[in-house]
Amino acid sequence: MFHQSRLRFEQQVAILVGVLCVALVGVMIVGAIMIGRREAVRMVRQDMSELASNMASALDSTMRDRFREIQVIGGLRPLRTAWRSDPGQVREVLDTLQASLPAYTWIGFAAPDGTVLSSTKGILEGASVAERPWFINGLKAPSVGDVHEAKLLATFLPRAPDVAPFRFVDVSVPVHDEAGRLAGVLGAHLSWSWADDLRQRLLSYNDAGLETDVWVLASDGKMLLGPTLGAAPFDAQRLASFATERSGVFEDRSGGDTILSGFAVTSSDKTFPGLGWIVVSRRPASVAYQSIHDIARTIVLLGAGLALLSIVLAWLIARNAAAPVRAMTQAARQLGRDPSMTMLPRFGGSQEFVELSASLRSLLRRIGLAEQERHRVETQSTLIERRFQAEIATLQRVADTDPLTGLLNRRSFLMHADDAMLHHDRHRRGLAILVADIDVFKRVNDSHGHPAGDEVIRQVGVLLEAGVRSSDKVARFGGEEFVILLREVDEDQARHLAERMRLAVRAAVIYHAGQEIRVTISIGGAVISTNDTDIQALIERADRGLYDAKSQGRDCVSMDSRDTASPIQNVA
């Protein structure tokens, strides 16, 4: 006994197709949202991690440069007689340094008893700084102090009542006379405002209106740069994880809203003690995920429209198919068995059956068109996939290169360097690192402007890359510093390549805005030895070579051989 439904055949088919379409679209929507959200989280986490790492690297680079500058001035031979005899000559040198780099708010020289003998613009001359930490530490060794408010200097720096107090980072070194006796301490107050300028530049490049912020914390967790100075936004457990992991990402839920955060801890090396600052980049999760929410909303609307369209089409087809089907079924069965039969025959009879026959014939023709459309869509999908792959390849190149010079950036260079280190460990092949720095680059920016400075950096990068072999790698590590990876070389070959690049830069004339610019470079280098545990150790030795080259008067090459324990097999 058959149950007769109150719904017509076309209605039942429409409902069934509609349910299936809704289910299928729902699965696709959920899958698309899950995949999109996972990818969005990955990209935002990577963005936050890179932003924090870039800020930490920039802080390290700037402080390291300032630390080296004060050390270089403190070691100048012409000043060894002036420390005890000619305060005017010392003041002239300090004023010149401050004019070339305005970030130095005050530079002064104090006798061993703490009395300031010479300083920029004569500020604090005659005053005692014997109790100041920078003086006490500077008597013992080169030192750098953490961010603090001005004490004695505050009275000489006028400011508006509603402006926050001046804050500084101190750098100090002991200086000696010609006999090698302690002549006093050379100290400099570096205005902390440069860090905020650096933060604003990084945010302007990265933020794109996404409400991103960057904090800088002291090693004890107190805020040095951010919304609430002196506050400690993270607990001891989080600070311990910062110190252990050095860099990474995390979600901060302490303020109610979820904040996606990246962090990086500034580093130190054998030439720079470092301050252990913690850089934290932050972006609200609601902002970071807005794009995937918009995509999900679009997918839902498109899916609902597709499901509705499918229901309407199914109802129309089912209504045309609700006529006698026995003869049509037999013909359809024969159509499936006989490959030579490609179309249903025309049927006579009632008007309804004739219309059904015509409709099925039309349906078969539509299937052919649908197959053509499917082929067209597949072809278009293939083209779109190839375009996406090309765009991904382009993005990868952008991620691996320095935007100003087109050379490798730090991250990409270290990947190549680690690979070369593994090759060296397996085959004991020669390996060397050169660190090149444009001499007195600040003068280029001051004399010709920053666009000219950018052109100088680009042209020096071109000259360095032209001076190496195809197996070698040249990267820009930041500012005017370049690093070169040399494979299959010994120390003489590395020195020869370095000299060739130095001479090429020295001989080059760089043109910008109708002006001729000439620069020189100093190069430090080191060849791998059994004492080098990793590539960072080799880079540090090359950096020491660069420091020696700068100390020797710039425009020269200095190879660091102090840690070399045994020769490495070389293939010429």
Side-chain angles (χ1 to χ4, degrees):
M1 183 176 181
F2 296 97
H3 173 70
Q4 183 176 3
S5 175
R6 294 183 178 180
L7 297 175
R8 291 182 297 174
F9 174 71
E10 60 267 25
Q11 293 173 332
Q12 295 180 43
V13 173
I15 292 174
L16 176 61
V17 172
V19 171
L20 292 176
C21 287
V22 170
L24 179 61
V25 171
V27 171
M28 293 176 62
I29 290 174
V30 172
I33 292 175
M34 291 179 62
I35 294 173
R37 181 178 177 83
R38 183 170 62 248
E39 183 65 15
V41 170
R42 185 192 67 79
M43 293 182 66
V44 172
R45 284 174 173 265
Q46 179 180 347
D47 192 26
M48 291 297 95
S49 178
E50 289 182 354
L51 178 58
S53 297
N54 289 341
M55 181 67 178
S57 297
L59 290 173
D60 274 336
S61 176
T62 301
M63 286 304 303
R64 188 177 287 108
D65 289 345
R66 302 293 83 77
F67 188 64
R68 289 174 180 170
E69 287 171 351
I70 296 303
Q71 285 182 298
V72 168
I73 293 176
L76 290 176
R77 290 186 175 276
L79 289 178
R80 290 189 175 183
T81 57
W83 295 128
R84 293 185 181 278
S85 61
D86 192 351
Q89 182 181 357
V90 175
R91 185 186 307 112
E92 183 178 349
V93 172
L94 301 185
D95 285 336
T96 301
L97 177 61
Q98 186 185 44
S100 66
L101 193 63
Y104 286 119
T105 302
W106 181 84
I107 311 173
F109 165 64
D113 63 356
T115 302
V116 178
L117 301 179
S118 300
S119 67
T120 52
K121 298 181 177 62
I123 297 175
L124 294 181
E125 288 186 0
S128 175
V129 293
E131 302 299 323
R132 305 306 303 148
W134 66 265
F135 176 79
I136 297 173
N137 294 330
L139 285 172
K140 305 172 185 176
S143 66
V144 57
D146 215 330
V147 181
H148 65 89
E149 293 185 8
K151 296 297 184 182
L152 296 174
L153 197 59
T155 57
F156 296 91
L157 301 175
R159 63 182 179 87
D162 57 343
V163 175
F166 292 104
R167 294 188 299 160
F168 303 96
V169 178
D170 297 328
V171 180
S172 58
V173 294
V175 295
H176 301 83
D177 58 19
E178 289 183 312
R181 295 170 300 183
L182 179 67
V185 176
L186 177 65
H189 289 344
L190 185 65
S191 174
W192 183 236
S193 61
W194 66 267
D196 188 50
D197 294 339
L198 178 62
R199 176 181 68 166
Q200 296 302 326
R201 287 198 301 271
L202 283 176
L203 288 176
S204 66
Y205 296 149
N206 180 276
D207 191 10
L210 295 180
E211 301 181 16
T212 304
D213 196 8
V214 173
W215 297 352
V216 178
L217 312 178
S219 57
D220 61 0
K222 293 184 179 179
M223 189 172 296
L224 303 176
L225 189 62
T228 308
L229 300 180
F234 301 109
D235 56 25
Q237 183 178 1
R238 179 66 72 185
L239 293 177
S241 70
F242 290 160
T244 301
E245 299 174 17
R246 306 301 294 176
S247 65
V249 292
F250 65 98
E251 291 188 0
D252 182 13
R253 297 185 175 88
S254 59
D257 189 14
T258 300
I259 305 295
L260 295 179
S261 303
F263 70 91
V265 181
T266 59
S267 60
S268 60
D269 55 37
K270 294 180 180 180
T271 62
F272 177 63
L275 293 168
W277 290 334
I278 304 167
V279 179
V280 179
S281 58
R282 295 164 53 85
R283 181 179 295 170
S286 58
V287 174
Y289 298 150
Q290 184 61 44
S291 60
I292 188 59
H293 293 161
D294 295 339
I295 294 174
R297 187 181 304 109
T298 302
I299 293 175
V300 169
L301 294 176
L302 291 176
L306 179 61
L308 180 61
L309 179 60
S310 300
I311 293 173
V312 173
L313 290 176
W315 180 79
L316 292 174
I317 294 172
R319 185 183 62 179
N320 293 331
V325 293
R326 182 175 300 174
M328 192 65 66
T329 300
Q330 182 64 30
R333 186 181 293 114
Q334 185 65 27
L335 180 65
R337 293 176 179 176
D338 187 358
S340 64
M341 187 176 179
T342 59
M343 183 59 68
L344 288 174
R346 295 182 183 276
F347 293 94
S350 64
Q351 181 66 29
E352 291 83 359
F353 195 67
V354 172
E355 291 177 356
L356 177 60
S357 173
S359 297
L360 290 178
R361 288 170 61 86
S362 177
L363 179 60
L364 288 175
R365 286 192 294 270
R366 289 185 181 181
I367 291 174
L369 293 175
E371 180 66 20
Q372 295 177 5
E373 179 65 16
R374 180 190 65 81
H375 178 71
R376 185 189 68 79
V377 171
E378 288 180 351
T379 303
Q380 185 176 4
S381 299
T382 301
L383 294 176
I384 292 175
E385 181 181 0
R386 291 175 181 173
R387 186 184 67 190
F388 285 167
Q389 290 175 349
E391 291 177 353
I392 291 173
T394 300
L395 292 175
Q396 184 64 44
R397 287 194 299 272
V398 172
D400 289 344
T401 57
D402 173 58
L404 177 61
T405 63
L407 300 174
L408 297 178
N409 58 22
R410 180 188 293 268
R411 182 186 68 83
S412 179
F413 177 85
L414 291 179
M415 291 174 61
H416 289 285
D418 289 339
D419 179 71
M421 191 70 175
L422 291 175
H423 183 76
H424 159 76
D425 292 340
R426 288 196 298 265
H427 305 290
R428 309 303 294 169
R429 299 298 193 188
L431 181 66
I433 290 291
L434 302 178
V435 179
D437 187 86
I438 302 175
D439 296 327
V440 291
F441 180 71
K442 181 67 179 174
R443 295 179 183 174
V444 176
N445 285 336
D446 290 344
S447 301
H448 304 283
H450 288 280
D454 290 345
E455 181 64 21
V456 168
I457 291 175
R458 279 193 293 268
Q459 293 302 322
V460 170
V462 171
L463 293 170
L464 294 180
E465 191 169 36
V468 300
R469 304 158 302 174
S470 59
S471 60
D472 303 329
K473 302 295 179 182
V474 181
R476 181 189 176 206
F477 263 34
E480 62 273 18
E481 184 176 80
F482 301 84
V483 179
I484 302 99
L485 172 68
L486 303 178
R487 290 175 178 261
E488 310 284 350
V489 296
D490 57 24
E491 182 169 330
D492 290 339
Q493 293 169 328
R495 182 186 299 276
H496 174 73
L497 288 172
E499 283 289 350
R500 188 169 66 184
M501 288 185 282
R502 181 186 70 82
L503 293 175
V505 173
R506 183 179 184 180
V509 179
I510 299 171
Y511 296 94
H512 179 79
Q515 300 178 356
E516 293 186 0
I517 304 174
R518 293 181 181 268
V519 295
T520 60
I521 59 172
S522 299
I523 302 178
V527 177
I528 192 72
S529 74
T530 55
N531 291 334
D532 294 318
T533 57
D534 55 23
I535 197 65
Q536 290 296 340
L538 184 57
I539 293 175
E540 290 175 4
R541 289 178 51 222
D543 201 51
R544 286 206 304 265
L546 175 63
Y547 179 76
D548 291 341
K550 293 289 188 179
S551 300
Q552 294 171 19
R554 303 185 180 91
D555 191 19
C556 61
V557 175
S558 176
M559 301 295 293
D560 183 275
S561 303
R562 284 172 282 184
D563 290 341
T564 302
S566 62
I568 304 300
Q569 178 184 356
N570 173 58
V571 176

